[in-house]
C-alpha cells in the first residue's frame, strides 16, 4: 500500500491544484477535528488497563514532543499520580533540553534532564516518549539507583504481564506478535504458556499491523495480546495499527504500582522472568556512514556478507545463515528494502544456548544496524543470575567487536579498539577524525591559561556537535587514565 501511494504521487500527479480555504470547508473537503476525537482516543487507550492499582509516583517527559495530550492525559484519566518534567514538556523541534539533542527513548542520555526532575518530585519511575509519542522509554528507581530498561526488556515485561492478567480467560487462540530482531525470550514465554507467536516478522511495525488486520478479518482480534518491536514500540487493543506509547505507559505504571505494594520493582519482576524462562541479553549498535560514499560502503558491507557469508567472525563459528531476501513473495520495492536483512546464528559456547546476530541497512538513516542476542538456559538462584549477567556483558562485547571489525575490514578501515568506547551513534568518519586530533587535545595541557585551554578545546571538538566531551571521554580516559576535563585541569 505504501508503494501504491508513492507511485500515485510521483507518477500520476502533473500539477498541484489549489482552492481557497473557505471554499474547501464549504465543499466538505476540510473537516476540523475536535475534542470528540480526543475523547474517543482517550476512551480507547484507557480501556487497555489491566489493573486498578495506582499507588506509584510517575515523572513523565514527552521529550519536547506531543505526548502530553496522549500519554500524560491517559495516565491522568486513569487516576495515576503523574507529573511532567518542566524542562522537556514544551513542544520544540530543537530538543534543547535533551543531551546530544537526541529525543529518543532508546538513548539513555535522553533521560538526563528528567532524572533531576524525578529526584525533585520523588518519583518511582520515569516514563519518556519520542516526539510523536509512539515509542516509550523507562527508568526505574531500584534500591536507591536509577535503572534504564531497553526495548527488549520492556517487551518481555509487557508480554509476561498481559499473560498473567488474561491467562485464566484464555481460549487457546491467543497470539503475540514480534519482529525478528525482537528478543526470542518472548518466544520462550509463549511456548511455555501455549500461546501462538508470530515471531519472525520483518522490521517495521506495519508488519505487525498487517497481522492485526488479518486477525480482525477473521473476527479474532480478542485473541491478540501484544505486538512488540525492539526499538521501544508496542501495541495492544484494537484502536490503532501502529505502535503507541500509551499502552506500555499504562501497563508499566500499573504493574509498578502492584509491585510497590510488595516492596518490589520492575527490575525484580524482570529477574523473576529470567529465573523462570532463561536469561536473554540483546544489544544494538550501528555503523553510521554519511553521504554518497557512505551509501556505497553500506551496500558493499551488505553485499559482501550476503554473497560471501563468513564461516567465522573472529573466533565465533557461524552455524546457520539466512538471507531474508529469500523470504517470498516480495510484493513491492519497499517490501524488498525491508527484507534486506542478514541473520547469522552461531554455535553456542559454554553455558549459552543461542547466539544470533542480525545485520541490515537502516531504511531511514545512513547507517547499517547490528542486533546481537545471546540466550542462556534458565537459572534458579539470584547469585547464579548475577554471574550469568556478568558473563553476558563480556561475551556480547566480544562478539560485537568480532562482527564490527569484519565489517570495517570489508570497507578497508583499521578501526582502533578504543573506538568502541566512543558514543555509539557518532558517524564512522567522525570517530576516525577524533583519533587524528586526540594528540592535539593532549598538547593543550601545555597552555598555561585555563580559559585559553578551554576555548581551544571547544573549538577543536566543534565537529562532534552538542555535548562533545561526553561523546569521546571514555575513549580518552582509557588511554590517559582520566577524562579530558581532569587531564586539562578544567574540572
Amino acid at each position: 500500500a505504501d508503494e501504491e501511494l508513492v507511485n500515485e504521487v510521483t507518477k500520476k500527479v502533473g500539477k498541484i491544484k489549489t482552492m481557497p480555504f473557505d471554499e474547501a470547508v464549504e465543499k466538505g473537503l476540510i473537516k476540523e477535528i475536535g475534542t470528540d476525537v480526543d475523547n474517543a482516543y482517550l476512551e480507547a487507550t484507557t480501556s487497555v488497563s489491566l489493573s486498578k492499582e495506582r499507588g506509584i509516583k510517575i515523572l513523565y517527559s514527552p521529550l519536547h514532543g506531543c505526548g502530553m495530550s496522549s500519554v500524560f492525559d491517559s495516565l491522568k484519566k486513569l487516576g495515576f499520580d503523574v507529573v511532567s518534567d518542566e524542562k522537556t514538556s514544551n513542544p520544540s523541534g530543537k530538543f534543547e533540553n535533551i543531551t546530544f539533542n537526541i529525543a529518543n527513548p532508546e538513548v539513555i542520555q535522553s533521560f538526563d534532564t528528567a532524572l533531576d526532575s524525578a529526584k525533585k518530585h520523588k518519583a518511582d519511575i520515569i516514563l519518556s516518549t519520542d516526539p510523536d509519542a509512539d515509542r516509550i522509554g523507562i527508568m526505574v528507581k531500584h534500591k536507591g539507583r536509577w535503572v534504564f530498561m531497553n526495548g527488549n526488556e520492556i517487551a518481555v515485561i509487557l508480554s509476561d504481564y498481559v499473560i498473567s492478567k488474561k491467562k485464566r480467560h484464555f481460549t487457546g487462540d491467543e497470539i503475540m506478535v514480534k519482529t525478528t530482531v525482537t528478543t526470542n525470550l518472548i518466544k520462550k514465554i509463549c511456548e511455555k504458556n501455549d500461546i501462538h507467536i508470530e515471531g519472525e516478522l520483518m522490521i517495521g511495525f506495519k508488519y505487525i499491523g498487517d497481522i492485526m488486520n488479518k486477525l480482525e478479518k477473521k473476527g479474532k482480534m480478542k485473541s491478540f495480546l501484544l505486538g512488540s518491536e525492539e526499538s521501544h514500540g508496542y501495541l495492544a487493543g484494537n484502536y490503532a495499527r501502529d505502535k503507541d506509547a500509551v499502552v506500555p505507559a499504562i501497563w508499566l505504571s500499573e504493574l509498578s504500582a502492584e509491585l510497590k505494594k510488595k516492596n518490589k520493582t520492575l527490575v525484580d519482576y524482570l529477574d523473576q522472568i529470567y529465573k523462570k524462562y532463561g536469561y536473554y541479553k540483546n544489544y544494538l549498535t550501528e555503523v553510521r556512514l554519511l553521504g554518497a560514499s557512505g551509501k556505497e560502503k553500506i551496500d558493499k558491507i551488505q553485499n559482501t556478507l550476503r554473497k560471501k557469508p563468513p564461516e567465522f567472525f573472529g573466533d565465533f563459528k557461524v552455524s546457520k545463515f539466512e538471507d531474508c531476501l529469500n523470504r517470498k513473495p516480495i510484493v513491492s520495492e519497499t517490501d524488498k528494502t525491508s527484507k534486506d536483512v542478514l541473520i547469522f546464528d552461531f554455535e553456542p559456547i559454554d553455558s549459552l544456548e543461542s547466539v544470533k546476530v542480525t545485520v541490515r541497512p537502516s531504511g531511514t538513516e545512513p547507517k547499517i544496524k547490528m542486533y546481537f542476542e545471546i540466550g542462556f538456559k534458565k537459572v534458579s538462584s539470584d547469585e547464579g543470575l548475577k554471574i550469568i549477567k556478568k558473563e553476558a556483558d563480556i561475551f556480547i562485547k566480544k562478539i560485537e567487536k568480532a562482527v564490527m571489525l569484519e565489517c570495517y575490514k570489508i570497507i578497508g578501515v583499521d578501526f582502533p579498539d578504543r573506538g568502541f568506547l566512543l558514543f555509539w551513534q557518532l558517524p564512522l568518519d567522525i570517530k576516525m577524525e577524533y583519533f587524528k586530533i586526540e594528540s592535539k587535545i593532549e598538547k593543550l595541557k601545555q597552555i598555561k591559561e585555563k580559559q585559553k585551554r578551554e576555548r581551544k578545546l571547544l573549538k577543536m571538538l566543534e565537529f562532534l556537535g552538542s555535548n562533545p566531551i561526553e561523546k569521546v571521554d571514555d575513549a580518552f580516559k582509557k588511554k590517559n587514565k582520566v577524562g579530558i576535563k581532569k587531564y586539562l585541569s578544567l574540572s
Side-chain angles (χ1 to χ4, degrees):
D2 52 2
E3 186 156 335
E4 288 172 8
L5 178 61
V6 169
N7 289 339
E8 181 72 24
V9 173
T10 58
K11 296 178 181 178
K12 296 184 182 180
V13 174
K15 65 176 183 177
I16 299 170
K17 298 177 182 179
T18 65
M19 76 166 59
F21 183 84
D22 291 342
E23 183 184 340
V25 172
E26 197 174 304
K27 289 184 175 180
L29 297 174
I30 291 175
K31 294 180 182 177
E32 211 170 276
I33 295 173
T35 54
D36 55 333
V37 175
D38 292 327
N39 293 336
Y41 172 79
L42 290 173
E43 202 62 43
T45 56
T46 53
S47 69
V48 305
S49 173
L50 298 172
S51 171
K52 298 295 183 186
E53 292 297 335
R54 300 291 180 263
I56 200 83
K57 184 68 180 250
I58 306 162
L59 189 283
Y60 171 66
S61 168
L63 297 178
H64 290 300
C66 68
M68 290 300 293
S69 61
S70 59
V71 175
F72 188 82
D73 283 354
S74 294
L75 292 172
K76 275 287 187 187
K77 182 177 170 66
L78 283 169
F80 283 104
D81 183 3
V82 54
V83 293
S84 61
D85 173 41
E86 298 90 341
K87 289 187 177 179
T88 57
S89 292
N90 62 304
S92 171
K94 294 178 181 177
F95 311 125
E96 62 272 12
N97 290 321
I98 302 168
T99 304
F100 308 142
N101 307 122
I102 299 176
N104 182 351
E106 290 181 81
V107 179
I108 189 171
Q109 290 87 352
S110 68
F111 282 85
D112 287 352
T113 303
L115 278 167
D116 291 334
S117 191
K119 290 168 190 171
K120 173 183 163 186
H121 291 287
K122 297 181 179 176
D124 298 298
I125 62 172
I126 303 170
L127 296 176
S128 72
T129 53
D130 62 341
D132 58 344
D134 63 355
R135 298 187 300 127
I136 195 163
I138 186 169
M139 289 192 81
V140 179
K141 187 77 174 291
H142 178 73
K143 295 182 178 178
R145 64 188 183 94
W146 286 98
V147 178
F148 171 80
M149 292 185 155
N150 66 37
N152 283 298
E153 290 167 339
I154 294 169
V156 166
I157 288 170
L158 296 175
S159 300
D160 190 79
Y161 177 62
V162 69
I163 290 170
S164 71
K165 290 298 182 183
K166 293 191 172 186
K167 192 168 186 178
R168 65 181 179 275
H169 301 300
F170 280 178
T171 62
D173 292 329
E174 284 68 31
I175 179 171
M176 278 197 192
V177 188
K178 75 173 190 71
T179 61
T180 188
V181 294
T182 304
T183 177
N184 278 310
L185 182 51
I186 295 175
K187 191 182 283 189
K188 284 189 79 172
I189 292 170
C190 287
E191 287 168 356
K192 294 285 186 183
N193 289 279
D194 297 321
I195 295 166
H196 177 66
I197 173 81
E198 286 282 347
E200 296 302 323
L201 299 186
M202 289 292 91
I203 297 96
F205 217 88
K206 64 181 180 180
Y207 292 101
I208 295 174
D210 183 52
I211 296 290
M212 293 173 71
N213 281 341
K214 288 172 181 173
L215 288 171
E216 187 172 46
K217 283 176 185 174
K218 293 177 184 175
K220 292 188 172 182
M221 269 308 290
K222 284 188 177 179
S223 302
F224 174 68
L225 297 176
L226 178 69
S228 300
E229 63 177 6
E230 58 77 37
S231 55
H232 294 239
Y234 317 94
L235 187 65
N238 191 24
Y239 69 93
R241 287 296 179 270
D242 197 2
K243 52 194 174 284
D244 187 4
V246 174
V247 173
I250 292 169
W251 286 2
L252 291 170
S253 298
E254 58 194 26
L255 174 56
S256 295
E258 287 188 357
L259 292 166
K260 189 177 178 181
K261 286 183 77 174
K262 304 171 187 174
N263 293 317
K264 302 281 186 184
T265 70
L266 291 173
V267 177
D268 298 311
Y269 190 86
L270 186 59
D271 281 348
Q272 285 302 120
I273 295 171
Y274 291 146
K275 284 188 280 188
K276 187 174 181 181
Y277 298 104
Y279 179 66
Y280 275 62
K281 184 173 179 70
N282 295 79
Y283 178 77
L284 168 67
T285 193
E286 62 189 37
V287 181
R288 283 185 178 244
L289 295 153
L290 306 181
S293 64
K295 174 70 168 66
E296 288 175 8
K297 289 171 184 171
I298 289 170
D299 291 343
K300 187 174 182 181
I301 292 170
Q302 196 74 353
N303 291 335
T304 303
L305 292 176
R306 169 172 284 119
K307 291 171 184 174
K308 297 178 182 177
E311 291 182 22
F312 285 86
F313 286 85
D315 296 329
F316 303 100
K317 184 174 172 53
V318 177
S319 59
K320 181 184 169 189
F321 167 71
E322 182 188 4
D323 179 357
C324 293
L325 283 179
N326 294 324
R327 293 189 184 182
K328 304 295 191 240
I330 293 175
V331 298
S332 67
E333 278 303 309
T334 51
D335 188 41
K336 184 178 179 181
T337 300
S338 295
K339 288 176 178 172
D340 187 8
V341 174
L342 307 175
I343 301 173
F344 297 89
D345 286 288
F346 293 80
E347 286 189 358
I349 300 170
D350 300 329
S351 55
L352 292 170
E353 66 176 2
S354 64
V355 183
K356 174 186 170 188
V357 178
T358 305
V359 182
R360 74 174 184 101
S362 169
T364 55
E365 296 179 84
K367 62 188 179 183
I368 191 160
K369 301 178 82 169
M370 298 165 195
Y371 306 79
F372 298 83
E373 176 178 272
I374 56 175
F376 292 79
K377 294 170 185 173
K378 66 180 180 181
V379 56
S380 55
S381 70
D382 291 335
E383 190 56 38
L385 185 57
K386 277 183 189 176
I387 293 167
I388 279 178
K389 284 182 178 182
K390 285 179 182 176
E391 285 179 17
D393 289 342
I394 294 166
F395 184 90
I396 214 152
K397 287 295 180 186
K398 283 181 180 176
I399 197 164
E400 176 198 5
K401 285 185 180 180
V403 172
M404 291 189 77
L405 288 174
E406 182 70 28
C407 294
Y408 289 135
K409 188 170 76 174
I410 290 169
I411 56 174
V413 173
D414 184 14
F415 194 70
D417 192 60
R418 286 188 299 118
F420 292 99
L421 297 173
L422 297 171
F423 179 53
W424 65 290
Q425 289 196 323
L426 284 175
L428 177 60
D429 57 350
I430 297 291
K431 289 180 179 179
M432 300 306 286
E433 181 63 26
Y434 164 74
F435 287 110
K436 287 180 186 176
I437 68 153
E438 191 177 55
S439 60
K440 294 179 182 177
I441 294 171
E442 292 164 347
K443 286 177 183 175
L444 293 177
K445 199 171 187 178
Q446 297 167 9
I447 299 172
K448 291 182 180 180
E449 189 186 333
K450 180 180 176 181
Q451 288 182 330
K452 191 175 180 182
R453 278 199 309 277
E454 190 163 25
R455 278 198 308 272
K456 281 189 172 288
L457 173 67
L458 293 176
K459 184 72 177 171
M460 210 177 279
L461 297 180
E462 272 182 346
F463 71 101
L464 291 166
S466 62
N467 308 98
I469 294 173
E470 288 86 343
K471 289 174 178 172
V472 300
D473 216 28
D474 285 343
F476 186 91
K477 197 180 293 182
K478 180 73 174 175
K479 180 185 177 186
N480 294 287
K481 311 302 180 194
V482 294
I484 294 173
K485 285 187 175 180
K486 194 166 184 180
Y487 184 88
L488 298 177
S489 302
L490 298 176
S491 56

